[in-house]
Amino acid sequence: MPEFIFMLTNRDRTVDDARTVLDQIAGTGLRHVGFKDVGATPELQRELTAQAKAAGMTVYLEVVSLTADDERRSIDAALGAGVDWVLGGQFAETASAHLAGSGIRFAPFPGKIVGHPSELTGSVEEIADHAGALSALDGVDGVDLLAYRHTSADVPELIRRTVQAVPGRVIVAGSVTTEAQVAAIDEAGAWGFTIGGAIFDGVLPGEKDVVSQVRTALAFAERARR
């Protein structure tokens, strides 16, 4: 069964009422929750991390800042907040060195990332090769693959090739909205997936409130068994 990470984010930024939403979904059985560096102050990141850990959840910070300086500040905030994982980012060597010894695990973006919201570019082979190279770096525990943010790739093949290249976790992030996508993610062997904006926009089937949408995503994961 793939793992589901609920991102407290919409349009690639942390939502304003993230703490309220986190409180609302605490009873769903959700085990993994995340937020992005954009839209969350270091203070809010600390508060969200403490709140989520008190509820027994694993906490992920996804870095979507575009410059090296902004990414460094985001890594500093992650260290201060005490998250469990840092996802994303485009300067993996610098980030992994900065995280060394912290106990925080790291899964950067493979491939070339452009724009905000982030979009993945490059061929399947290039992305998989980059994922393998990233995995060889000290302190890298997997990759954060924006598979469904690629406009032209064969996405299941992209995920499969990346899984083959990466000994750690492959987390499929961005634009996951259907049960068929979750099944394809599982069949390709990825560890898990994230959903954020689609839940806040009520895109998933069923009732459109956030709690119901989170339960739907959990059901997608439960039904997708290898």
Side-chain angles (χ1 to χ4, degrees):
M1 182 179 79
E3 295 289 342
F4 164 51
I5 304 170
F6 173 43
M7 298 298 290
L8 297 162
T9 63
N10 200 2
R11 293 166 181 82
D12 262 6
R13 62 181 295 118
T14 299
V15 297
D16 293 338
D17 59 345
R19 292 199 65 188
T20 299
V21 174
L22 182 53
D23 185 59
Q24 291 170 346
I25 54 88
T28 61
L30 184 74
R31 296 189 299 271
H32 304 275
V33 72
F35 47 87
K36 298 189 193 289
D37 55 341
V38 174
T41 64
E43 180 182 9
L44 178 58
Q45 291 180 37
R46 290 192 297 271
E47 292 171 349
L48 286 169
T49 300
Q51 184 179 349
K53 287 190 173 185
M57 298 180 191
T58 301
V59 184
Y60 302 75
L61 170 66
E62 187 171 45
V63 177
V64 293
S65 295
L66 298 176
T67 70
D69 286 344
D70 285 344
E71 184 169 314
R72 177 62 178 257
R73 283 189 283 271
S74 296
I75 297 298
D76 283 336
L79 289 165
V83 300
D84 298 296
W85 280 79
V86 169
L87 308 179
Q90 301 181 60
F91 304 93
E93 289 191 28
T94 301
S96 60
H98 199 39
L99 289 167
S102 68
I104 296 174
R105 302 179 77 181
F106 181 41
F109 289 135
K112 183 177 180 181
I113 310 300
V114 296
H116 185 86
S118 304
E119 180 180 314
L120 176 62
T121 64
S123 69
V124 168
E125 182 176 11
E126 289 168 342
I127 296 166
D129 286 348
H130 187 211
L134 289 171
S135 295
L137 296 174
D138 287 340
V140 171
D141 303 284
V143 296
D144 190 25
L145 179 65
L146 296 174
Y148 288 100
R149 294 275 183 90
H150 201 298
T151 60
S152 60
D154 178 335
V155 173
E157 178 64 12
L158 172 59
I159 300 170
R160 279 193 294 272
R161 291 283 299 276
T162 302
V163 168
Q164 290 168 1
V166 173
R169 292 183 181 180
V170 174
I171 299 169
V172 176
S175 300
V176 176
T177 61
T178 70
E179 187 164 3
Q181 287 174 316
V182 174
I185 288 166
D186 186 62
E187 288 170 6
W191 175 86
F193 64 98
T194 74
I195 304 179
I199 284 174
F200 286 101
D201 290 341
V203 173
L204 276 56
E207 299 296 324
K208 301 309 179 185
D209 63 282
V210 170
V211 173
S212 295
Q213 292 273 292
V214 167
R215 292 188 188 279
T216 296
L218 288 167
F220 285 176
E222 177 67 26
R223 290 194 290 265
R225 294 185 178 275
R226 296 191 183 100

PDB file of all heavy atoms in Angstrom, residues 141-166:
ATOM      1  N   ASP A 141      18.121  10.389   1.101  1.00  0.00           N
ATOM      2  CA  ASP A 141      17.386   9.186   1.481  1.00  0.00           C
ATOM      3  C   ASP A 141      16.297   8.806   0.493  1.00  0.00           C
ATOM      4  O   ASP A 141      15.535   7.864   0.736  1.00  0.00           O
ATOM      5  CB  ASP A 141      16.749   9.397   2.854  1.00  0.00           C
ATOM      6  CG  ASP A 141      17.778   9.758   3.906  1.00  0.00           C
ATOM      7  OD1 ASP A 141      18.514   8.846   4.349  1.00  0.00           O
ATOM      8  OD2 ASP A 141      17.873  10.945   4.273  1.00  0.00           O
ATOM      9  N   GLY A 142      16.191   9.522  -0.612  1.00  0.00           N
ATOM     10  CA  GLY A 142      15.165   9.267  -1.609  1.00  0.00           C
ATOM     11  C   GLY A 142      15.029  10.467  -2.515  1.00  0.00           C
ATOM     12  O   GLY A 142      15.896  11.360  -2.521  1.00  0.00           O
ATOM     13  N   VAL A 143      13.943  10.511  -3.301  1.00  0.00           N
ATOM     14  CA  VAL A 143      13.692  11.654  -4.177  1.00  0.00           C
ATOM     15  C   VAL A 143      12.220  12.036  -4.117  1.00  0.00           C
ATOM     16  O   VAL A 143      11.351  11.215  -3.805  1.00  0.00           O
ATOM     17  CB  VAL A 143      14.112  11.392  -5.634  1.00  0.00           C
ATOM     18  CG1 VAL A 143      15.611  11.181  -5.757  1.00  0.00           C
ATOM     19  CG2 VAL A 143      13.344  10.227  -6.238  1.00  0.00           C
ATOM     20  N   ASP A 144      11.980  13.286  -4.425  1.00  0.00           N
ATOM     21  CA  ASP A 144      10.645  13.880  -4.459  1.00  0.00           C
ATOM     22  C   ASP A 144      10.323  14.136  -5.925  1.00  0.00           C
ATOM     23  O   ASP A 144      10.773  15.122  -6.507  1.00  0.00           O
ATOM     24  CB  ASP A 144      10.677  15.184  -3.658  1.00  0.00           C
ATOM     25  CG  ASP A 144       9.311  15.785  -3.404  1.00  0.00           C
ATOM     26  OD1 ASP A 144       8.320  15.042  -3.404  1.00  0.00           O
ATOM     27  OD2 ASP A 144       9.244  17.012  -3.186  1.00  0.00           O
ATOM     28  N   LEU A 145       9.584  13.228  -6.529  1.00  0.00           N
ATOM     29  CA  LEU A 145       9.406  13.200  -7.980  1.00  0.00           C
ATOM     30  C   LEU A 145       8.110  13.886  -8.393  1.00  0.00           C
ATOM     31  O   LEU A 145       7.017  13.406  -8.071  1.00  0.00           O
ATOM     32  CB  LEU A 145       9.401  11.746  -8.459  1.00  0.00           C
ATOM     33  CG  LEU A 145       9.208  11.506  -9.954  1.00  0.00           C
ATOM     34  CD1 LEU A 145      10.375  12.076 -10.760  1.00  0.00           C
ATOM     35  CD2 LEU A 145       9.035  10.016 -10.240  1.00  0.00           C
ATOM     36  N   LEU A 146       8.216  14.978  -9.141  1.00  0.00           N
ATOM     37  CA  LEU A 146       7.038  15.717  -9.612  1.00  0.00           C
ATOM     38  C   LEU A 146       6.497  15.086 -10.896  1.00  0.00           C
ATOM     39  O   LEU A 146       6.358  15.742 -11.931  1.00  0.00           O
ATOM     40  CB  LEU A 146       7.404  17.193  -9.845  1.00  0.00           C
ATOM     41  CG  LEU A 146       7.818  17.974  -8.602  1.00  0.00           C
ATOM     42  CD1 LEU A 146       8.286  19.377  -8.995  1.00  0.00           C
ATOM     43  CD2 LEU A 146       6.670  18.061  -7.608  1.00  0.00           C
ATOM     44  N   ALA A 147       6.175  13.806 -10.800  1.00  0.00           N
ATOM     45  CA  ALA A 147       5.869  13.021 -11.998  1.00  0.00           C
ATOM     46  C   ALA A 147       4.698  13.592 -12.787  1.00  0.00           C
ATOM     47  O   ALA A 147       4.761  13.716 -14.019  1.00  0.00           O
ATOM     48  CB  ALA A 147       5.584  11.573 -11.605  1.00  0.00           C
ATOM     49  N   TYR A 148       3.601  13.924 -12.099  1.00  0.00           N
ATOM     50  CA  TYR A 148       2.416  14.414 -12.805  1.00  0.00           C
ATOM     51  C   TYR A 148       2.476  15.909 -13.085  1.00  0.00           C
ATOM     52  O   TYR A 148       1.518  16.467 -13.620  1.00  0.00           O
ATOM     53  CB  TYR A 148       1.155  14.043 -12.025  1.00  0.00           C
ATOM     54  CG  TYR A 148       0.846  12.567 -12.099  1.00  0.00           C
ATOM     55  CD1 TYR A 148       1.179  11.708 -11.054  1.00  0.00           C
ATOM     56  CD2 TYR A 148       0.247  12.019 -13.234  1.00  0.00           C
ATOM     57  CE1 TYR A 148       0.908  10.345 -11.138  1.00  0.00           C
ATOM     58  CE2 TYR A 148      -0.022  10.662 -13.319  1.00  0.00           C
ATOM     59  CZ  TYR A 148       0.313   9.830 -12.271  1.00  0.00           C
ATOM     60  OH  TYR A 148       0.053   8.482 -12.355  1.00  0.00           O
ATOM     61  N   ARG A 149       3.598  16.531 -12.757  1.00  0.00           N
ATOM     62  CA  ARG A 149       3.845  17.907 -13.177  1.00  0.00           C
ATOM     63  C   ARG A 149       4.654  17.946 -14.475  1.00  0.00           C
ATOM     64  O   ARG A 149       5.074  19.019 -14.903  1.00  0.00           O
ATOM     65  CB  ARG A 149       4.586  18.670 -12.081  1.00  0.00           C
ATOM     66  CG  ARG A 149       3.783  18.873 -10.799  1.00  0.00           C
ATOM     67  CD  ARG A 149       2.877  20.091 -10.866  1.00  0.00           C
ATOM     68  NE  ARG A 149       2.164  20.309  -9.616  1.00  0.00           N
ATOM     69  CZ  ARG A 149       2.616  21.055  -8.618  1.00  0.00           C
ATOM     70  NH1 ARG A 149       3.804  21.649  -8.711  1.00  0.00           N
ATOM     71  NH2 ARG A 149       1.894  21.215  -7.539  1.00  0.00           N
ATOM     72  N   HIS A 150       4.920  16.785 -15.063  1.00  0.00           N
ATOM     73  CA  HIS A 150       5.589  16.723 -16.369  1.00  0.00           C
ATOM     74  C   HIS A 150       4.512  16.744 -17.443  1.00  0.00           C
ATOM     75  O   HIS A 150       3.544  15.983 -17.382  1.00  0.00           O
ATOM     76  CB  HIS A 150       6.432  15.459 -16.482  1.00  0.00           C
ATOM     77  CG  HIS A 150       7.501  15.526 -17.523  1.00  0.00           C
ATOM     78  ND1 HIS A 150       7.234  15.700 -18.863  1.00  0.00           N
ATOM     79  CD2 HIS A 150       8.858  15.463 -17.408  1.00  0.00           C
ATOM     80  CE1 HIS A 150       8.373  15.723 -19.535  1.00  0.00           C
ATOM     81  NE2 HIS A 150       9.372  15.591 -18.681  1.00  0.00           N
ATOM     82  N   THR A 151       4.663  17.609 -18.423  1.00  0.00           N
ATOM     83  CA  THR A 151       3.590  17.813 -19.401  1.00  0.00           C
ATOM     84  C   THR A 151       3.594  16.805 -20.538  1.00  0.00           C
ATOM     85  O   THR A 151       2.599  16.709 -21.263  1.00  0.00           O
ATOM     86  CB  THR A 151       3.674  19.225 -20.001  1.00  0.00           C
ATOM     87  OG1 THR A 151       4.950  19.397 -20.652  1.00  0.00           O
ATOM     88  CG2 THR A 151       3.516  20.285 -18.918  1.00  0.00           C
ATOM     89  N   SER A 152       4.664  16.035 -20.708  1.00  0.00           N
ATOM     90  CA  SER A 152       4.707  15.160 -21.884  1.00  0.00           C
ATOM     91  C   SER A 152       5.213  13.748 -21.610  1.00  0.00           C
ATOM     92  O   SER A 152       5.105  12.879 -22.477  1.00  0.00           O
ATOM     93  CB  SER A 152       5.585  15.792 -22.976  1.00  0.00           C
ATOM     94  OG  SER A 152       6.912  15.989 -22.510  1.00  0.00           O
ATOM     95  N   ALA A 153       5.747  13.468 -20.446  1.00  0.00           N
ATOM     96  CA  ALA A 153       6.341  12.148 -20.187  1.00  0.00           C
ATOM     97  C   ALA A 153       5.273  11.082 -20.016  1.00  0.00           C
ATOM     98  O   ALA A 153       4.128  11.352 -19.648  1.00  0.00           O
ATOM     99  CB  ALA A 153       7.210  12.200 -18.933  1.00  0.00           C
ATOM    100  N   ASP A 154       5.654   9.828 -20.288  1.00  0.00           N
ATOM    101  CA  ASP A 154       4.868   8.664 -19.899  1.00  0.00           C
ATOM    102  C   ASP A 154       5.064   8.520 -18.388  1.00  0.00           C
ATOM    103  O   ASP A 154       6.089   8.015 -17.928  1.00  0.00           O
ATOM    104  CB  ASP A 154       5.384   7.433 -20.648  1.00  0.00           C
ATOM    105  CG  ASP A 154       4.660   6.149 -20.279  1.00  0.00           C
ATOM    106  OD1 ASP A 154       4.108   6.061 -19.152  1.00  0.00           O
ATOM    107  OD2 ASP A 154       4.663   5.212 -21.089  1.00  0.00           O
ATOM    108  N   VAL A 155       4.092   8.979 -17.616  1.00  0.00           N
ATOM    109  CA  VAL A 155       4.300   9.115 -16.178  1.00  0.00           C
ATOM    110  C   VAL A 155       4.539   7.773 -15.481  1.00  0.00           C
ATOM    111  O   VAL A 155       5.473   7.657 -14.681  1.00  0.00           O
ATOM    112  CB  VAL A 155       3.148   9.902 -15.525  1.00  0.00           C
ATOM    113  CG1 VAL A 155       3.286   9.893 -14.008  1.00  0.00           C
ATOM    114  CG2 VAL A 155       3.141  11.335 -16.041  1.00  0.00           C
ATOM    115  N   PRO A 156       3.745   6.724 -15.732  1.00  0.00           N
ATOM    116  CA  PRO A 156       4.060   5.450 -15.077  1.00  0.00           C
ATOM    117  C   PRO A 156       5.473   4.952 -15.394  1.00  0.00           C
ATOM    118  O   PRO A 156       6.158   4.430 -14.501  1.00  0.00           O
ATOM    119  CB  PRO A 156       2.989   4.500 -15.628  1.00  0.00           C
ATOM    120  CG  PRO A 156       1.832   5.407 -15.929  1.00  0.00           C
ATOM    121  CD  PRO A 156       2.467   6.648 -16.471  1.00  0.00           C
ATOM    122  N   GLU A 157       5.911   5.147 -16.641  1.00  0.00           N
ATOM    123  CA  GLU A 157       7.271   4.740 -16.998  1.00  0.00           C
ATOM    124  C   GLU A 157       8.300   5.602 -16.270  1.00  0.00           C
ATOM    125  O   GLU A 157       9.338   5.100 -15.801  1.00  0.00           O
ATOM    126  CB  GLU A 157       7.479   4.837 -18.504  1.00  0.00           C
ATOM    127  CG  GLU A 157       8.878   4.477 -18.986  1.00  0.00           C
ATOM    128  CD  GLU A 157       9.267   3.027 -18.736  1.00  0.00           C
ATOM    129  OE1 GLU A 157       8.392   2.204 -18.387  1.00  0.00           O
ATOM    130  OE2 GLU A 157      10.461   2.708 -18.887  1.00  0.00           O
ATOM    131  N   LEU A 158       8.032   6.887 -16.166  1.00  0.00           N
ATOM    132  CA  LEU A 158       8.930   7.783 -15.426  1.00  0.00           C
ATOM    133  C   LEU A 158       9.066   7.329 -13.972  1.00  0.00           C
ATOM    134  O   LEU A 158      10.177   7.284 -13.431  1.00  0.00           O
ATOM    135  CB  LEU A 158       8.392   9.215 -15.487  1.00  0.00           C
ATOM    136  CG  LEU A 158       9.089  10.255 -14.605  1.00  0.00           C
ATOM    137  CD1 LEU A 158      10.560  10.370 -14.951  1.00  0.00           C
ATOM    138  CD2 LEU A 158       8.386  11.605 -14.737  1.00  0.00           C
ATOM    139  N   ILE A 159       7.955   6.987 -13.349  1.00  0.00           N
ATOM    140  CA  ILE A 159       8.018   6.535 -11.956  1.00  0.00           C
ATOM    141  C   ILE A 159       8.783   5.217 -11.854  1.00  0.00           C
ATOM    142  O   ILE A 159       9.644   5.051 -10.991  1.00  0.00           O
ATOM    143  CB  ILE A 159       6.608   6.404 -11.358  1.00  0.00           C
ATOM    144  CG1 ILE A 159       5.867   7.744 -11.395  1.00  0.00           C
ATOM    145  CG2 ILE A 159       6.690   5.899  -9.909  1.00  0.00           C
ATOM    146  CD1 ILE A 159       4.394   7.634 -11.036  1.00  0.00           C
ATOM    147  N   ARG A 160       8.482   4.275 -12.757  1.00  0.00           N
ATOM    148  CA  ARG A 160       9.165   2.973 -12.721  1.00  0.00           C
ATOM    149  C   ARG A 160      10.669   3.136 -12.875  1.00  0.00           C
ATOM    150  O   ARG A 160      11.457   2.539 -12.126  1.00  0.00           O
ATOM    151  CB  ARG A 160       8.632   2.067 -13.841  1.00  0.00           C
ATOM    152  CG  ARG A 160       7.330   1.375 -13.519  1.00  0.00           C
ATOM    153  CD  ARG A 160       7.031   0.271 -14.520  1.00  0.00           C
ATOM    154  NE  ARG A 160       6.795   0.808 -15.848  1.00  0.00           N
ATOM    155  CZ  ARG A 160       5.608   1.201 -16.308  1.00  0.00           C
ATOM    156  NH1 ARG A 160       4.542   1.118 -15.513  1.00  0.00           N
ATOM    157  NH2 ARG A 160       5.465   1.665 -17.520  1.00  0.00           N
ATOM    158  N   ARG A 161      11.075   3.942 -13.843  1.00  0.00           N
ATOM    159  CA  ARG A 161      12.507   4.129 -14.091  1.00  0.00           C
ATOM    160  C   ARG A 161      13.183   4.802 -12.897  1.00  0.00           C
ATOM    161  O   ARG A 161      14.325   4.480 -12.552  1.00  0.00           O
ATOM    162  CB  ARG A 161      12.717   4.949 -15.359  1.00  0.00           C
ATOM    163  CG  ARG A 161      12.336   4.236 -16.657  1.00  0.00           C
ATOM    164  CD  ARG A 161      13.400   3.218 -17.063  1.00  0.00           C
ATOM    165  NE  ARG A 161      14.676   3.860 -17.298  1.00  0.00           N
ATOM    166  CZ  ARG A 161      15.034   4.435 -18.459  1.00  0.00           C
ATOM    167  NH1 ARG A 161      14.183   4.440 -19.489  1.00  0.00           N
ATOM    168  NH2 ARG A 161      16.217   4.987 -18.601  1.00  0.00           N
ATOM    169  N   THR A 162      12.490   5.719 -12.285  1.00  0.00           N
ATOM    170  CA  THR A 162      13.060   6.399 -11.118  1.00  0.00           C
ATOM    171  C   THR A 162      13.184   5.437  -9.944  1.00  0.00           C
ATOM    172  O   THR A 162      14.203   5.420  -9.247  1.00  0.00           O
ATOM    173  CB  THR A 162      12.198   7.614 -10.740  1.00  0.00           C
ATOM    174  OG1 THR A 162      12.112   8.507 -11.858  1.00  0.00           O
ATOM    175  CG2 THR A 162      12.798   8.363  -9.565  1.00  0.00           C
ATOM    176  N   VAL A 163      12.157   4.631  -9.723  1.00  0.00           N
ATOM    177  CA  VAL A 163      12.214   3.632  -8.649  1.00  0.00           C
ATOM    178  C   VAL A 163      13.388   2.682  -8.858  1.00  0.00           C
ATOM    179  O   VAL A 163      14.098   2.324  -7.902  1.00  0.00           O
ATOM    180  CB  VAL A 163      10.880   2.861  -8.570  1.00  0.00           C
ATOM    181  CG1 VAL A 163      11.003   1.637  -7.669  1.00  0.00           C
ATOM    182  CG2 VAL A 163       9.763   3.775  -8.068  1.00  0.00           C
ATOM    183  N   GLN A 164      13.624   2.282 -10.093  1.00  0.00           N
ATOM    184  CA  GLN A 164      14.739   1.388 -10.399  1.00  0.00           C
ATOM    185  C   GLN A 164      16.087   2.034 -10.094  1.00  0.00           C
ATOM    186  O   GLN A 164      17.049   1.347  -9.736  1.00  0.00           O
ATOM    187  CB  GLN A 164      14.677   0.969 -11.868  1.00  0.00           C
ATOM    188  CG  GLN A 164      13.525   0.037 -12.194  1.00  0.00           C
ATOM    189  CD  GLN A 164      13.312  -0.139 -13.683  1.00  0.00           C
ATOM    190  OE1 GLN A 164      14.043   0.419 -14.512  1.00  0.00           O
ATOM    191  NE2 GLN A 164      12.297  -0.911 -14.045  1.00  0.00           N
ATOM    192  N   ALA A 165      16.147   3.357 -10.213  1.00  0.00           N
ATOM    193  CA  ALA A 165      17.413   4.074 -10.038  1.00  0.00           C
ATOM    194  C   ALA A 165      17.689   4.477  -8.601  1.00  0.00           C
ATOM    195  O   ALA A 165      18.818   4.858  -8.265  1.00  0.00           O
ATOM    196  CB  ALA A 165      17.427   5.319 -10.926  1.00  0.00           C
ATOM    197  N   VAL A 166      16.672   4.407  -7.743  1.00  0.00           N
ATOM    198  CA  VAL A 166      16.767   4.980  -6.391  1.00  0.00           C
ATOM    199  C   VAL A 166      16.602   3.884  -5.351  1.00  0.00           C
ATOM    200  O   VAL A 166      15.552   3.233  -5.287  1.00  0.00           O
ATOM    201  CB  VAL A 166      15.682   6.065  -6.200  1.00  0.00           C
ATOM    202  CG1 VAL A 166      15.656   6.559  -4.761  1.00  0.00           C
ATOM    203  CG2 VAL A 166      15.924   7.222  -7.163  1.00  0.00           C
TER     204      VAL A 166
END
